Every structure is written in C-alpha cells, then in structure tokens.
C-alpha cells in the first residue's frame, strides 16, 4: 500500500489535482487558510490516472469489504469516481447529496438502494469528514448498512479520524497527506522549509498563519 500511496501522490501533484502554495495560501470554504488545495475532479481529465484510481479503489474494496453489494458516491466531487468504480465492479450505484434538491422529488439519494444493502462510500478527499459522515447518515437512514469508505486522498486530520471512528466507519485512503509531502520533496515540488509549513498547518489548521 505504501508504494501506491507514494505513486498516486506523485500523479496528483503532476496533474495539479493537489496544489501546494505555502507562500500564497488558499482560503477554503470553511474559512481555513491553507497551503494546500485538493481537487480530485481533475483526475477525470487524465485517462491513465483515472484508470489507476478506479482500479486501485476496486482492489481495496475487494480486499477489505468483499461483501459489498452497492457503491455510493459523495456529491459532488466523488460522483464520477464512484460511478467508474461501480461500473468496474459490476455493482449497483447511487450518489448522495448533502442537501435535498429544491425541486422535483427533493431526493438526497439519487439511485435505488435496498433495505439492508451493504454499501461502500467513495470520497474524493477527506478533511474534517463532516460531509462524508452526513452521507453515511443518509444511507443509514435509508436502511443501508455502510460497511466502509474509500477515499482517494485524506489530510489525516485527527478530528476526522476521531469522527469516523465514533460513527463506526472504517476508512481506507489510496494516498494521504504524509505520502504527498514525501513525494513533493522527492520530486522537488517543494523544499524542506515548505514541507515544514505544510506539517505545521496540518497540526493546527484552525490557527495556522504564513
């Protein structure tokens, strides 16, 4: 798994799905100021990376959640990735909104799910896990059994790990913050001083400043 983590981290840096700007940080929707920004939708534009991600998620699911009966993607970033995985595995698929549509059937879950169905949730990236757990809650409310979650990337924030554990959700991520920092140094995307800034942010994202 370590080899996959490092390899995928390099790929995400290469296609700028992960951007690092310690000297010109981003402002997230949450209000956090951050030296890193992740947009794994970009993977969809690169067939080789897209296939790699689809294949590796499918492998992880089969190795860890072999009783899976359906795949659910988290809207909006993981809708396409989840569909690709479900198609690759020949499984039913749905995606889950964070809020209901304001017209029509006002669905949270788009697609059919069955009572007791064993579902694996697909996420594009995980920061606090707040949105991920809202999706888990919606699926559980619909009578599904969420047996696990697979993400492309996780920041590895302690609050996310604690929240997932508290809700009984097992998370496996293809790559992560630590692997990304190592890959970024190795491929000269950043220098060691910038790596220190990234690690300082991860330790306390609420109060980080540059």
């Amino acid at each position: 798994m370590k080899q996959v983590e490092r390899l995928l981290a390099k790929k995400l840096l290469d296609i700028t799905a992960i951007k690092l700007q310690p000297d010109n940080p981003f402002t997230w929707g949450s209000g956090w100021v951050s030296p890193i920004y992740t947009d794994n939708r970009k993977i969809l534009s690169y067939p080789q990376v897209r296939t790699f991600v689809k294949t590796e998620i499918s492998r992880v699911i089969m190795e860890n959640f072999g009783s899976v009966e359906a795949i659910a993607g988290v809207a909006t970033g993981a809708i396409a990735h989840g569909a690709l995985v479900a198609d690759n595995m020949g499984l039913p698929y749905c995606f889950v909104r964070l809020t209901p549509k304001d017209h029509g059937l006002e669905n949270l879950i788009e697609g059919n799910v069955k009572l007791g169905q064993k579902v694996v949730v697909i996420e594009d990236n995980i920061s606090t896990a707040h949105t991920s757990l809202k999706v888990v809650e919606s699926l559980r409310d619909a009578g599904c059994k969420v047996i696990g979650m697979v993400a492309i990337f996780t920041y590895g924030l302690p609050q996310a790990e604690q929240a997932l554990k508290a809700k009984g959700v097992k998370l496996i991520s293809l790559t992560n913050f630590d692997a990304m920092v190592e890959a970024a140094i190795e491929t000269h995307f950043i220098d060691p001083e910038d790596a220190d800034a990234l690690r300082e942010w991860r330790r306390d994202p609420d109060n980080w400043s540059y």
Side-chain angles (χ1 to χ4, degrees):
M1 192 66 183
K2 291 291 184 183
Q3 184 177 358
V4 170
E5 290 175 359
R6 187 74 67 88
L7 179 59
L8 179 55
K10 289 179 180 178
K11 292 178 184 292
L12 297 181
L13 289 164
D14 283 339
I15 65 173
T16 67
I18 294 177
K19 288 188 176 182
L20 305 176
Q21 295 180 186
D23 296 325
N24 183 27
F26 306 92
T27 300
W28 288 11
S30 63
W32 278 352
V33 176
S34 173
I36 176 173
Y37 187 79
T38 305
D39 181 6
N40 284 327
R41 295 175 182 87
K42 288 194 172 185
I43 293 169
L44 302 171
S45 297
Y46 297 86
Q48 289 184 334
V49 184
R50 187 178 68 213
T51 299
F52 181 86
V53 167
K54 172 186 70 177
T55 302
E56 287 301 312
I57 292 177
S58 300
R59 178 186 61 79
V60 165
I61 292 172
M62 289 307 300
E63 290 180 356
N64 296 275
F65 311 112
S67 62
V68 60
E69 296 172 331
I71 301 295
V74 176
T76 60
I79 291 176
H81 294 296
L84 288 166
V85 170
D87 186 63
N88 191 49
M89 299 183 72
L91 289 172
Y93 177 67
C94 68
F95 70 85
V96 186
R97 304 176 187 275
L98 300 182
T99 56
K101 289 195 300 183
D102 58 4
H103 61 279
L105 298 177
E106 300 182 348
N107 292 332
L108 274 175
I109 299 174
E110 297 290 0
N112 292 326
V113 293
K114 298 177 181 178
L115 191 67
Q117 198 167 36
K118 296 177 182 178
V119 178
V120 171
V121 175
I122 307 299
E123 260 287 24
D124 59 334
N125 72 81
I126 291 180
S127 53
T128 63
H130 175 70
T131 57
S132 310
L133 288 172
K134 285 187 70 174
V135 166
V136 170
E137 182 180 358
S138 295
L139 288 165
R140 287 174 172 169
D141 287 346
C144 296
K145 182 178 181 181
V146 177
I147 62 172
M149 181 182 297
V150 181
I152 298 171
F153 177 82
T154 180
Y155 291 93
L157 298 175
Q159 56 263 54
E161 295 173 357
Q162 292 163 8
L164 289 163
K165 184 177 180 180
K167 295 297 184 179
V169 179
K170 179 180 179 179
L171 169 68
I172 298 175
S173 187
L174 295 189
T175 191
N176 55 65
F177 184 89
D178 291 330
M180 179 277 300
V181 171
E182 293 172 3
I185 294 171
E186 184 179 308
T187 53
H188 306 292
F189 273 87
I190 56 173
D191 59 34
E193 289 76 17
D194 289 334
D196 290 339
L198 287 165
R199 294 187 180 107
E200 287 172 8
W201 170 83
R202 206 263 297 270
R203 279 193 289 271
D204 189 8
D206 285 312
N207 299 300
W208 183 82
S209 61
Y210 64 102

